[in-house]
Amino acid sequence: MGLFSRLFGLKTKPVEQLQVEAVEYKGYLIYPDSKAEGGQFRVSGRITKENEGVLKTHQFIRSDLLSSENDANELMIKKSQMFIDQMKDDIFN
């Protein structure tokens, strides 16, 4: 414990790893993971698919900012589904 923590009674909390639940769509797994930014939430996450024993991953970050984390995650899922429909496995190239 540091000097300031002892003087002012500040306690540190361990950082918890958030478990993001995947949404399955046409053989792909979509992991919504919106990021807090300036009082809003940026639409982001990742899309994964296992192909011949190899896990492929595509990071998905959009310019969209929404006031609700839940809304940002829902939009990420919808945009990911459209992206998968349009690009299929080419998203990993």
Side-chain angles (χ1 to χ4, degrees), residues 18-86:
L18 297 177
Q19 295 295 326
V20 178
E21 195 165 322
V23 174
E24 192 277 329
Y25 182 73
K26 296 184 177 181
Y28 297 82
L29 293 176
I30 301 169
Y31 295 88
D33 188 23
S34 60
K35 303 291 183 200
E37 187 175 312
Q40 295 184 326
F41 294 88
R42 180 163 308 278
V43 173
S44 65
R46 68 187 189 279
I47 301 169
T48 66
K49 183 177 181 184
E50 187 173 328
N51 191 3
E52 297 179 12
V54 176
L55 184 65
K56 304 266 186 168
T57 301
H58 175 78
Q59 291 294 98
F60 195 89
I61 301 172
R62 303 287 302 178
S63 60
D64 306 283
L65 290 171
L66 298 168
S67 60
S68 160
E69 181 178 18
N70 190 49
D71 289 347
N73 284 336
E74 286 180 19
L75 183 58
M76 189 278 178
I77 292 168
K78 289 178 185 173
K79 287 190 177 258
S80 294
Q81 290 170 337
M82 287 185 345
F83 191 49
I84 290 166
D85 289 341
Q86 293 170 355

